[in-house]
Amino acid sequence: MRNIVIGRFKASRQGGWEGEILTLTIRRQIRLVPNDDRSHMNAPSFHVMLGWQQIGEAWQNELRTDPGRYYLRVRIADPACSLNAILFPDHDMVTANLAIQNSKPESSIREPGESADD
C-alpha cells in the first residue's frame, strides 16, 4: 500500500490546522479545530469543520520513532464519500499533508494504453 496525498494544510493561530481536500470528486476548505471539551480518554483531539458545520473528528497519535512524531487519524463522515485519512505534520510543524492509503497494489495500476497482459 502507498499513501496518496489528498490535502495540504497549514497550522492555524488557534492551535489547529486549516487547508484544502482535493480529489477527483471533492474540493473543500476544512479546518481541524482543537477539542476543548475532552470529557473522556477516547474523545477526539480535534473537530473537523466545514464552515461552521462539524463533519468529522481527528485523534492524535505518536509514531514509535526516535524522536517521536505525532500525526492525526482523521475521520470525515459524508453520506456520499466517507474518508479515513492521516494528517502528517512536517518537521517544522507549520505545514502538513493529508493522505489516504491506496489499497490497490502498484502492479494493478496501469498506464493508459497498457493491457492487463503487459
Side-chain angles (χ1 to χ4, degrees), residues 54-69:
Q54 181 178 340
I55 62 168
E57 297 96 15
W59 291 265
Q60 185 169 320
N61 287 314
E62 190 170 334
L63 292 172
R64 294 183 185 135
T65 59
D66 187 34
R69 285 183 54 200

Side-chain angles (χ1 to χ4, degrees), residues 12 67 76 93:
S12 69
I76 297 174
M93 298 298 288

Side-chain angles (χ1 to χ4, degrees), residues 3 7 9 15-16 36 41 54 73 84 87 112 114 117:
N3 290 332
F9 288 76
D36 294 332
M41 202 160 105
Q54 181 178 340
R73 285 186 305 113
N84 288 309
L87 186 91
E114 185 179 24
D117 298 331

